[in-house]
Amino acid sequence: MSLKTLITNSVQYNNWVVNKYIDWLSTKSDEQLNQEVISSFPTILATLHHIWQTQEYWWAYIAENSDFDFAAISAAVTKDEIFNGIKTNSQKLMDYVQSLSEEDLAKNVKIESPWFQCDFSKFEYIQHVIIHGTYHRGQIVTMGRNVGITDAPMTDYNFWNVYKDSEIKSEV
């Protein structure tokens, strides 16, 4: 399997998962989404906001456009803005990756931020975005259980990989 295929599958899977989570969580009450629990972030909605902020931050480097405005995305936003922001960013990343060549994916992008410096390939940053989101979505499932949400959707990679060409293809 080529790097292009692997990363393209990864962003397609990530986009599918993001949509499954947002569709699932959009049926939950504002009270549940904003109920404080002990975790990395105090609420499910705050965790989703963080996922969106992080996706946007890394998008600026992956796309080499430096259009990330931390202040703008950190401002108080509504549930719908967070939901739409995550979905839009995931779709944007998927579309972008599908347009890249194998060489584009292997291109190094140097980052010099106030927090760290690194010089890795685009595909490594893309993998980081996906893994970071997965980590926090796992927290959301646990947070949900603590506020009475027990019907998390099945979003394992293998489930998507097995069924992506059949019954769930229309969702991808």
Side-chain angles (χ1 to χ4, degrees):
M1 178 180 293
S2 71
L3 174 63
K4 169 75 175 173
T5 301
L6 178 64
I7 299 301
T8 299
N9 284 352
S10 294
V11 294
Q12 288 174 346
Y13 163 73
N14 183 68
N15 190 57
W16 174 76
V17 170
V18 163
N19 281 282
K20 290 290 272 187
Y21 262 66
I22 298 305
D23 291 349
W24 166 58
L25 292 171
S26 67
T27 67
K28 307 310 174 197
S29 71
D30 287 352
E31 180 182 332
Q32 288 173 309
L33 297 177
N34 289 297
Q35 185 173 336
E36 291 200 13
V37 296
I38 297 172
S39 192
S40 296
F41 296 90
T43 68
I44 291 172
L45 197 58
T47 305
L48 288 168
H49 191 199
H50 169 72
I51 293 170
W52 177 35
Q53 287 173 313
T54 303
Q55 285 184 178
E56 289 291 342
Y57 175 81
W58 287 102
W59 165 252
Y61 288 110
I62 292 165
E64 299 180 77
N65 60 21
S66 302
D67 68 354
F68 181 74
D69 182 353
F70 189 80
I73 203 166
S74 294
V77 293
T78 67
K79 173 178 73 174
D80 288 338
E81 288 172 322
I82 293 169
F83 285 3
N84 291 331
I86 293 171
K87 288 175 88 166
T88 298
N89 181 275
S90 297
Q91 179 70 46
K92 181 171 56 175
L93 180 62
M94 185 179 73
D95 293 342
Y96 178 72
V97 167
Q98 290 174 335
S99 76
L100 297 177
S101 68
E102 186 106 6
E103 295 75 29
D104 294 332
L105 287 166
K107 177 185 176 188
N108 275 33
V109 176
K110 187 172 185 173
I111 299 176
E112 294 185 19
S113 79
W115 309 286
F116 63 91
Q117 294 182 356
C118 58
D119 188 15
F120 299 120
S121 63
K122 284 188 179 195
F123 81 84
E124 290 174 292
Y125 296 136
I126 293 163
Q127 286 294 94
H128 171 70
V129 168
I130 293 166
I131 293 166
H132 177 265
T134 300
Y135 170 79
H136 286 297
R137 286 189 300 267
Q139 288 181 318
I140 288 171
V141 170
T142 301
M143 294 168 81
R145 289 197 170 276
N146 283 295
V147 300
I149 301 171
T150 60
D151 61 343
M154 168 57 83
T155 58
D156 283 345
Y157 179 81
N158 195 55
F159 177 80
W160 174 83
N161 206 29
V162 168
Y163 294 105
K164 73 178 183 243
D165 293 326
S166 59
E167 65 190 51
I168 66 170
K169 186 172 184 168
S170 63
E171 298 176 20
V172 176

